[in-house]
């Protein structure tokens, strides 16, 4: 969420940002509500001052009345003052109610205004305008036509999409045998890498959260249609571990010496994919339920962009160890997520489609989420409190890593080689072949 003072003083910039992002928000109405709110505040303060004056007057009259109980003029003055104070109190109540309604209307607009992109974010309309930062790895030259992962998985009996559709519906997957082993092995491999080498603290959070947690990270109120919600208790199934992990320090004041704080978390993720009808209907790319290892940072503002580069490097190393080609792109303004000020996407190479597909998004939200969640730190020198910067990135999406391994390590006979560093996490299994 943007600082209301910043928004008030930078209306033109916010309008430009909305245009660059292809977003809409009624900024004129925001200005109108903000002016009304400030006018009501002034009126309420004036009325409260008058009420205090009458309250003191009545108190003084009461003291005099105790000494001059038969003074009719004094009694009349006291009665008149009480009536006038009641009128003022009623006015204050009405002003407070109007102010509350205006505040709610103001916040309804404020809550759907996206973050301001960082200066280094390219201006563009959609993913076609994203900027390639670098490539890593060498694409394998196959002596045969590479198959898509769903064909490989079904022929090896490690993925069963028909059965998962019977159990739940479309956009779900059933892993079997060495397919389930591969998924589990990748989770453990990534968690070990990030905790043992990269210095993250592992957390296992709840997989359901309350509405406040969703609001803090920006899923609510704007993206409620993309979320799964329980009907009885109002819990939301998490779309990413970013939500519960970011909320660990909600309403807290951290010490500057404790920053940066780095968490890694494995969770299943649940998404309705409300706007993706007809996209990636086959395979593991776009599922209602999938596993992911997430990286979350709480950073001092001064170093948050340096830390974004470090987070990105940590996520990239997963693919480097597995020797899977990928590229890094900077998202343009039109492709940038609602809460993000800057995002890098890591896109893995899929030989069956001859294109790169996203496997991780690494973002700096600056203080956008921290303001919503009141996540602050106290500096070492002046002992003043400041909002932290929050960052997060996939380290990595497990299902899409399975896709990348199946497609990049496939053999002509349909079997799959297991990357060397991963074999110990599969109990020494070196390949997956039809049995």
């Amino acid at each position: 969420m943007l600082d209301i003072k910043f928004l008030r003083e930078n209306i033109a910039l916010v309008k430009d940002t909305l245009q660059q992002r292809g977003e809409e928000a009624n900024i004129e109405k925001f200005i109108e509500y903000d002016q009304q709110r400030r006018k009501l505040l002034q009126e309420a303060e004036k009325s409260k001052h008058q009420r205090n004056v009458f309250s003191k007057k009545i108190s003084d009259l009461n003291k005099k009345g105790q000494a001059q109980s038969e003074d009719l003029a004094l009694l009349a003055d006291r009665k008149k003052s009480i009536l006038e104070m009641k009128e003022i109190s009623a006015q204050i109540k009405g002003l407070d109610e109007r102010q509350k309604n205006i505040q709610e209307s103001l916040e309804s607009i404020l809550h759907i205004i996206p973050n301001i992109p960082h200066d280094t974010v390219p201006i563009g309309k959609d993913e076609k305008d994203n900027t390639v930062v670098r490539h890593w790895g060498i694409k394998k030259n196959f002596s045969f036509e590479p198959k898509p992962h769903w064909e490989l998985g079904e022929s090896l009996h490690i993925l069963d999409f028909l059965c998962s559709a019977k159990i739940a519906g479309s956009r779900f997957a059933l892993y079997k045998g060495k397919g389930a082993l591969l998924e589990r092995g990748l989770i453990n491999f990534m968690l070990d890498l990030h905790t043992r080498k990269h210095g993250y603290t592992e957390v296992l959070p709840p997989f359901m959260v309350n509405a406040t947690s969703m609001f803090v990270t920006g899923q609510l109120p704007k993206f409620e249609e993309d979320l799964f919600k329980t009907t009885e208790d109002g819990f939301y199934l998490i779309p990413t571990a970013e939500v519960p992990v970011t909320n660990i320090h909600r309403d807290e004041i951290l010490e500057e010496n404790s920053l940066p704080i780095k968490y890694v978390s494995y969770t299943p993720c649940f998404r309705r994919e409300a706007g993706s009808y007809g996209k990636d209907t086959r395979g593991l790319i776009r599922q209602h339920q999938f596993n992911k290892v997430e990286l979350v940072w709480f950073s001092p503002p001064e170093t948050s962009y340096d830390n974004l580069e470090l987070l990105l490097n940590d996520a990239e190393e997963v693919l480097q160890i597995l020797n899977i080609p990928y590229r890094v792109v900077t998202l343009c303004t039109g492709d940038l997520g609602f809460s993000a000020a800057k995002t890098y996407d890591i896109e893995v190479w899929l030989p069956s489609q001859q294109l790169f597909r996203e496997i991780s998004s690494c973002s700096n939200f600056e203080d956008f989420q921290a303001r919503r969640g009141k996540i602050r730190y106290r500096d070492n020198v002046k002992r003043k409190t400041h909002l932290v910067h929050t960052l997060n990135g996939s380290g990595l999406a497990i299902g899409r890593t399975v896709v990348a391994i199946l497609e990049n390590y496939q053999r002509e006979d349909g079997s799959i080689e297991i990357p060397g560093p991963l074999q110990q996490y599969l109990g020494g299994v070196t390949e997956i072949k039809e049995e």
Side-chain angles (χ1 to χ4, degrees):
M1 185 169 66
L2 297 179
D3 176 33
I4 193 168
K5 182 180 178 182
F6 172 87
L7 203 164
R8 189 184 296 137
E9 296 173 353
N10 296 274
I11 292 294
L13 173 62
V14 173
K15 286 183 176 180
D16 287 344
T17 293
L18 289 167
Q19 185 177 14
Q20 291 169 6
R21 282 175 166 268
E23 297 274 2
E24 293 183 0
N26 196 335
I27 300 300
E28 282 70 26
K29 205 67 179 175
F30 171 87
I31 297 170
E32 179 186 331
Y33 287 145
D34 189 39
Q35 290 173 344
Q36 290 178 17
R37 184 183 68 89
R38 285 192 282 174
K39 184 179 179 181
L40 287 170
L41 274 171
Q42 291 173 353
E43 291 180 16
E45 287 301 315
K46 183 179 178 181
S47 295
K48 287 173 183 177
H49 174 71
Q50 289 177 327
R51 184 176 63 182
N52 291 338
V53 170
F54 276 107
S55 178
K56 186 177 186 305
K57 181 179 180 181
I58 292 167
S59 176
D60 291 341
L61 288 170
N62 284 337
K63 291 176 182 178
K64 288 181 181 179
Q66 290 173 3
Q68 307 172 35
S69 58
E70 301 300 322
D71 190 329
L72 296 178
L74 192 66
L75 291 172
D77 193 9
R78 178 177 177 275
K79 185 176 180 180
K80 181 183 176 183
S81 296
I82 290 173
L83 289 173
E84 288 178 332
M85 192 175 80
K86 285 182 177 179
E87 289 179 7
I88 292 173
S89 295
Q91 290 176 10
I92 292 170
K93 184 178 179 182
L95 288 169
D96 286 345
E97 188 63 30
R98 287 170 60 193
Q99 185 182 326
K100 180 183 176 184
N101 293 336
I102 289 291
Q103 184 67 28
E104 289 175 354
S105 299
L106 190 69
E107 289 179 355
S108 70
I109 297 174
L110 186 62
H111 292 168
I112 63 169
I113 297 175
N115 204 351
I116 304 297
H118 190 259
D119 292 342
T120 58
V121 173
I123 296 174
K125 184 177 180 182
D126 53 34
E127 61 183 14
K128 296 176 183 176
D129 297 317
N130 294 341
T131 303
V132 177
V133 177
R134 57 178 170 271
H135 287 80
W136 187 94
I138 300 172
K139 300 172 187 175
K140 185 176 179 180
N141 291 318
F142 292 92
S143 59
F144 57 93
E145 184 176 349
K147 296 178 181 178
H149 70 276
W150 59 83
E151 287 187 19
L152 293 163
E154 288 175 332
S155 65
L156 292 168
H157 307 294
I158 60 173
L159 293 173
D160 194 332
F161 296 104
L162 287 176
C163 188
S164 61
K166 177 180 70 175
I167 295 169
S170 61
R171 297 191 187 276
F172 289 92
L174 174 67
Y175 290 78
K176 298 167 65 176
K178 289 180 180 176
L181 179 64
L182 177 59
E183 181 94 355
R184 175 161 53 92
L186 280 167
I187 294 169
N188 290 330
F189 159 66
M190 293 180 196
L191 288 174
D192 281 353
L193 174 67
H194 296 311
T195 56
R196 296 176 182 177
K197 183 175 181 181
H198 298 153
Y200 290 79
T201 299
E202 183 179 352
V203 293
L204 184 62
F207 301 158
M208 294 189 292
V209 297
N210 55 36
T212 302
S213 294
M214 285 290 191
F215 170 77
V216 168
T217 49
Q219 278 75 24
L220 291 179
K222 192 173 177 63
F223 302 106
E224 183 154 16
E225 67 171 6
D226 291 323
L227 305 171
F228 286 108
K229 183 179 181 180
T230 63
T231 55
E232 294 293 329
D233 304 301
F235 292 125
Y236 291 86
L237 300 181
I238 62 169
T240 166
E242 169 198 344
V243 178
V245 177
T246 301
N247 277 274
I248 288 174
H249 295 298
R250 187 175 81 210
D251 297 320
E252 290 185 10
I253 299 177
L254 306 167
E255 289 297 329
E256 185 177 13
N257 289 339
S258 71
L259 301 177
I261 297 172
K262 301 161 52 177
Y263 291 125
V264 60
S265 179
Y266 153 72
T267 66
C269 306
F270 306 90
R271 299 182 185 177
R272 289 188 62 214
E273 297 289 354
S276 63
Y277 180 79
K279 297 179 181 178
D280 299 310
T281 54
R282 301 195 68 180
L284 298 172
I285 293 294
R286 200 178 295 273
Q287 299 272 292
H288 288 311
Q289 175 187 321
F290 59 95
N291 293 314
K292 187 152 64 82
V293 169
E294 192 79 358
L295 310 175
V296 175
W297 287 55
F298 298 86
S299 170
E302 307 80 46
T303 57
S304 67
Y305 279 95
D306 292 333
N307 289 334
L308 177 61
E309 299 296 328
L310 294 175
L311 185 153
L312 175 64
N313 292 339
D314 292 343
E316 286 183 72
E317 190 171 353
V318 176
L319 293 173
Q320 292 171 5
I321 292 172
L322 297 176
N323 196 24
I324 297 174
Y326 67 88
R327 70 179 185 183
V328 176
V329 302
T330 304
L331 299 195
C332 70
T333 53
D335 203 26
L336 197 62
F338 174 78
S339 300
K342 183 174 184 177
T343 298
Y344 292 111
D345 269 9
I346 303 173
E347 298 179 342
V348 71
W349 175 250
L350 299 183
S352 73
Q353 300 177 47
Q354 289 292 293
L355 50 74
F356 289 95
R357 297 300 301 266
E358 177 206 335
I359 199 168
S360 172
S361 286
C362 299
S363 302
N364 187 347
F365 304 103
E366 297 186 355
D367 60 14
F368 191 85
Q369 294 178 332
R371 179 170 289 104
R372 288 183 169 217
K374 297 183 177 64
I375 309 171
R376 295 159 291 171
Y377 73 96
R378 184 177 287 106
D379 68 59
N380 293 330
V381 180
K382 296 184 179 180
R383 306 303 288 163
K384 291 184 177 180
T385 58
H386 314 269
L387 292 169
V388 302
H389 280 193
T390 58
L391 302 82
N392 86 279
S394 305
L396 302 167
I398 305 300
R400 294 191 179 195
T401 309
V402 169
V403 170
I405 289 173
L406 294 182
E407 295 210 3
N408 284 279
Y409 280 89
Q410 62 180 295
R411 298 170 177 149
E412 189 169 6
D413 62 0
S415 64
I416 309 296
E417 178 188 354
I418 300 299
L422 192 59
Q423 292 174 10
Q424 61 179 310
Y425 290 93
L426 275 66
V429 172
T430 61
E431 62 181 355
I432 301 176
K433 60 183 180 181
E434 191 170 359
E435 297 175 353

